[in-house]
Amino acid sequence: MCGCGGRCGRATPGAASSSGRRLPATPLLLLAYLSYLLLGSAAFWALESPREREMAGRLLSEKWDLLENYTCLEREDLEDLAKGIIQAYKSGLYLKGNTSLGRWDFVGSFFFSVSAVTTIGYGNLSPSTEAAQVFCIFFALFGIPLNLVLLNRIGQLMLSGVQLCAFHLGEKFHWQKGAAVLTRTCALVAGLLLFLLLPPLLFTAIEGWTYEEGFYYSFITLSTIGFGDYVIGMNPERTYPSWYKNVVSLWILFGMAWLALIINLCISLLENSSGLCRCCKRRSRDAEQELISGNPNVTLESKDGQNCSTKDTKPAEPN
């Protein structure tokens, strides 16, 4: 007679049902990603589509009004004029004042180089000559990895500084956990102020934007989304300080490193929470199997969840 009490070869109901219901992590992640994209698409469609139709109708109305008032102007001539105005703006020519915006002076070229290697790519400025386009390819090819290495190094220095402050505070006040929480909170608040909350005030003063527009530009820039609807130093009716674009370039460099740390922290929290859930489910399933097997002394204590981590797969050391 088998010593296992007649349990040999019998499938565990709890394990079978859980394995049958459980989906792999990648399909779930893909489903969540697609759902998030569809939700964003619906929101942008609902918010921006009415404005787009309104603007299109207004422009068409103004076009036909212009053709009716100036009968000597043909439709094709008007369209050619509009194309010429657009091309002039892209070339940096301000038609109202008959002056050049100076987009490709040294300061403007430096800012373009920063936007290229950081992959922001506002889209308002791009090389037009074949030589410059070819050079831009190789410049970005080697500049983007160099920028990533530099951002990683700056992020590590920032993180090391925070950890060093936490260590010294913990040694001084004999409160390691509290010092770690305090320094990380202070670093987060300081980063928010320095890279997201205070720069819009500068843009409001120099660019004439509202604070909301400046904050929007700050996040779109540091996250390297770079739509190009707001770009600094492009208003021909304003006089910009010579230091302005250089300071903004430094802000972009350090701000991207800080925001990358925040994004990595969010990723770590999501991954750790996922690992914690898997660990707790595994412990609960093991306890369920023991109870089904006839062991009434098995309980899943709350401290078991605290011991779970993403490194729970480490094999047990031999006795």
Side-chain angles (χ1 to χ4, degrees), residues 241-253:
S242 57
W243 51 265
Y244 180 50
K245 286 189 176 181
N246 295 328
V247 170
V248 173
S249 299
L250 292 177
W251 165 74
I252 290 176
L253 185 61

Side-chain angles (χ1 to χ4, degrees), residues 6-25:
R7 294 189 298 271
C8 296
R10 186 174 62 186
T12 304
S17 59
S18 61
S19 60
R21 292 192 303 266
R22 191 173 57 184
L23 293 176

Side-chain angles (χ1 to χ4, degrees), residues 21 24 28 44-45 76 84 112 143 155-156 162 195 223 303 311:
R21 292 192 303 266
L28 285 177
F44 289 125
W45 178 39
E76 292 76 8
F112 171 78
Q156 289 178 355
V162 172
F195 298 117
S223 59
K303 65 180 181 179
K311 297 180 180 180

Side-chain angles (χ1 to χ4, degrees), residues 89 101-103 107-116 120-126 202-204 206-209 213-218 220-221 225-238 240 244-245 248-249 251-252:
Y89 177 77
L101 296 177
R103 294 185 176 184
V107 176
S109 301
F110 178 77
F111 188 74
F112 171 78
S113 300
V114 172
S115 65
I120 296 175
Y122 291 111
N124 67 310
L125 188 64
S126 58
L202 176 66
F203 301 139
T204 299
I206 297 182
E207 298 288 346
W209 299 339
E213 290 172 336
F215 184 83
Y216 168 78
Y217 167 78
S218 299
I220 293 300
T221 295
I225 297 175
F227 290 123
D229 47 354
Y230 290 90
V231 184
I232 64 164
M234 292 299 164
N235 190 346
E237 298 180 355
R238 289 184 172 269
Y240 297 100
Y244 180 50
K245 286 189 176 181
V248 173
S249 299
W251 165 74
I252 290 176

